[in-house]
Amino acid sequence: MMTNLFSSFEPTTMFNMSLNWTSSLIIILLIPSTFWMISSRYSSLYLMSMKTLSKEMSILLGNSSQPGSSTLFISIFSLIFINNSMGLFPYIFTSTSHLVMTLSLALTIWLALMIYGWSNNMIHMFTHLLPQNTPLFLMSFMVIIETISNLIRPLTLSIRLMANMMAGHLLLTLLGNLNLSVPMLISMMIIGVQFLLLTLESAVAMIQAYVFTILSSLYTSEVS
C-alpha cells in the first residue's frame, strides 16, 4: 500500500537498497542484436527508425559536426524512450520521472558542450551572446538575458522531461486509487479513461524523448 501520493516514484525496495534503478539497464536487453544473418521484424523496425532519426540529426548538426555526433544523440533517444516506455508497465520503476536521472543527462551534455565551445570556438561563443541588429541601448541587457538563458538550459531540459513523465503517472495513480471505492459502472468508466491516458502516455514517452534529443542537438549545432 502506498504511504503517500509520490511513494510510487520512490526508488527504494524492501531491502532498503535502490535496486529499482537497475530498470534503466533494460535498454541493454531491448536493443536488437545485429550479428544475425536475417534480421527480425523488430530489428528491421528498430534499424529503420534509427536511420530516419540519424538523417534528421545530420541535418540539424550540419557538416561542421564531429564524427559520431548523430550516433551519440540516437543513443540518448533510445535510452530515454525505452525508459519512458517501460515505466508504463506495472511494477517497473520509471527512472526518467526523477530529476536525478534527467538532470544527470542534461547537465553532462551541457557541460561537455560548454567546455568544447569555449575552449575551441571562444569568439563564436561570444557572438551568440549578442544577436545581430541589436540596438545599442539594449546590448548590455541582451548579453545578460542570453547568458541566463544559456545557464538554465540543463534545468529546462531535465524539468521538462521529468514533469511530463511524472504528471501522467500521477494521474493514472489517482484514478487507480479512486477506482477502489466507486460503483461498478463508474469503475468501468474510469478504466476506459485510464486506457485512453495510457495511450496518450505512450505517445508522450516518444515525444519527450524526441524533444530532449532534438533540443540537445540544436544546442550542439550552436556550439560547433
Side-chain angles (χ1 to χ4, degrees), residues 36-84:
W36 300 104
M37 294 184 63
I38 300 177
S39 300
S40 62
R41 292 182 180 179
Y42 170 66
S43 178
S44 300
L45 179 62
Y46 179 83
L47 291 177
M48 182 178 64
S49 303
M50 294 302 106
K51 286 180 181 178
T52 303
L53 191 61
S54 177
K55 291 179 181 178
E56 188 165 351
M57 292 296 165
S58 300
I59 295 173
L60 291 175
L61 293 173
N63 298 325
S64 59
S65 62
Q66 296 295 324
S69 298
S70 59
T71 305
L72 171 64
F73 290 109
I74 289 173
S75 302
I76 294 173
F77 174 84
S78 301
L79 173 66
I80 297 175
F81 175 62
I82 292 178
N83 277 281
N84 290 349

Side-chain angles (χ1 to χ4, degrees), residues 1-219:
M1 176 178 266
M2 292 190 303
T3 57
N4 57 69
L5 186 60
F6 293 91
S7 61
S8 59
F9 300 99
E10 182 63 29
T12 56
T13 62
M14 60 182 297
F15 302 105
N16 294 323
M17 298 175 63
S18 297
L19 297 178
N20 284 331
W21 287 105
T22 56
S23 65
S24 301
L25 301 177
I26 296 177
I27 185 175
I28 300 176
L29 302 177
L30 295 179
I31 294 178
S33 302
T34 57
F35 54 82
W36 300 104
M37 294 184 63
I38 300 177
S39 300
S40 62
R41 292 182 180 179
Y42 170 66
S43 178
S44 300
L45 179 62
Y46 179 83
L47 291 177
M48 182 178 64
S49 303
M50 294 302 106
K51 286 180 181 178
T52 303
L53 191 61
S54 177
K55 291 179 181 178
E56 188 165 351
M57 292 296 165
S58 300
I59 295 173
L60 291 175
L61 293 173
N63 298 325
S64 59
S65 62
Q66 296 295 324
S69 298
S70 59
T71 305
L72 171 64
F73 290 109
I74 289 173
S75 302
I76 294 173
F77 174 84
S78 301
L79 173 66
I80 297 175
F81 175 62
I82 292 178
N83 277 281
N84 290 349
S85 301
M86 295 303 296
L88 298 175
F89 290 89
Y91 304 107
I92 296 182
F93 174 67
T94 312
S95 59
T96 49
S97 64
H98 278 260
L99 195 61
V100 174
M101 176 74 172
T102 58
L103 187 59
S104 298
L105 281 173
L107 194 60
T108 302
I109 296 171
W110 181 80
L111 280 176
L113 292 178
M114 290 297 102
I115 293 173
Y116 174 82
W118 286 104
S119 59
N120 293 280
N121 301 317
M122 185 175 293
I123 298 177
H124 179 71
M125 295 295 290
F126 273 118
T127 56
H128 269 290
L129 297 178
L130 188 64
Q132 292 182 354
N133 301 323
T134 303
L136 184 62
F137 65 94
L138 289 178
M139 286 185 177
S140 59
F141 295 103
M142 290 303 299
V143 171
I144 296 174
I145 292 172
E146 290 294 327
T147 303
I148 294 175
S149 65
N150 198 359
L151 291 175
I152 64 173
R153 280 179 177 178
L155 285 177
T156 55
L157 277 177
S158 56
I159 293 175
R160 180 188 294 109
L161 177 58
M162 180 204 70
N164 281 279
M165 296 311 301
M166 183 177 287
H169 285 68
L170 280 177
L171 192 54
L172 288 172
T173 303
L174 286 171
L175 290 175
N177 293 337
L178 181 64
N179 201 18
L180 300 175
S181 58
V182 294
M184 180 63 68
L185 180 60
I186 300 178
S187 178
M188 296 299 294
M189 294 175 61
I190 292 176
I191 291 174
V193 173
Q194 284 183 311
F195 179 77
L196 293 176
L197 281 175
L198 189 62
T199 306
L200 178 63
E201 282 299 302
S202 301
V204 169
M206 182 181 66
I207 291 171
Q208 290 304 315
Y210 180 77
V211 168
F212 188 98
T213 308
I214 291 298
L215 288 177
S216 300
S217 62
L218 288 174
Y219 298 157

